[in-house]
Amino acid sequence: MAILDILNYPDPRLHKVAKPVKEVDASIRRLIDDMRETMYDAPGIGLAATQVDQHIQLLIIDTSETKDHLQVFINPKIIEKSGVQDYEEGCLSVPGVYETVTRAEKVTVEALDYNGKPFTLKAEGLLSICIQHEMDHLLGKVFVEYLSPLKRSRIKNKMLKLTRHK
């Protein structure tokens, strides 16, 4: 396994739309394992393949306190949404920035798991937020795009300044 580089906003590669995974094979499982190591090392609770410059429909999430309940979503599709909730979100691609975003309170998602087996999951609370946040990455969208143009511009400038000082 390897720790992968996470793209930082406003990197244009974060805006690429991910393509469906054609086959869940050893290379996909290896990427999942590398993403898991990367996410836990960061540390984070979710990571989309887009964030590690792999533009396929794959994301991983672990909202457990013990960090031992990894959930894998390959080719995820939200088939139902309900309710509304505000949540202060952060992102491994926008380090140190936390802003309130409004999302659906509950979602039902269909996807394939680590072995390519289809499943359906009903999620609410933090898991629902995380699924929606990571799925946005697969559409080429970063959470700061829900913010006002002024806030977004300030965050972009802050991130660019941080990149220059590395």
Side-chain angles (χ1 to χ4, degrees), residues 26-121:
S27 67
I28 295 295
R29 286 189 285 277
R30 188 168 36 260
L31 176 59
I32 292 167
D33 294 339
D34 289 346
M35 286 174 61
R36 174 180 48 225
E37 189 170 341
T38 303
M39 181 183 75
Y40 289 145
D41 182 69
I45 60 171
L47 186 65
T50 300
Q51 293 175 272
V52 293
D53 204 20
Q54 298 294 314
H55 303 282
I56 57 172
Q57 293 178 11
L58 164 63
L59 59 94
I60 61 171
I61 295 173
D62 186 346
T63 57
S64 72
E65 292 289 323
T66 51
K67 300 298 173 210
D68 62 355
H69 189 68
L70 187 77
Q71 295 176 282
V72 175
F73 299 81
I74 300 168
N75 299 337
K77 289 182 182 43
I78 293 176
I79 57 170
E80 193 176 319
K81 290 182 180 185
S82 65
V84 175
Q85 66 181 327
D86 291 337
Y87 197 86
E88 189 177 69
E89 296 185 23
C91 181
L92 294 177
S93 291
V94 194
V97 174
Y98 299 89
E99 292 287 343
T100 301
V101 176
T102 302
R103 296 194 186 269
E105 182 180 11
K106 297 177 184 177
V107 295
T108 302
V109 63
E110 291 179 342
L112 303 176
D113 68 11
Y114 184 87
N115 295 305
K117 183 179 173 216
F119 69 93
T120 302
L121 175 75

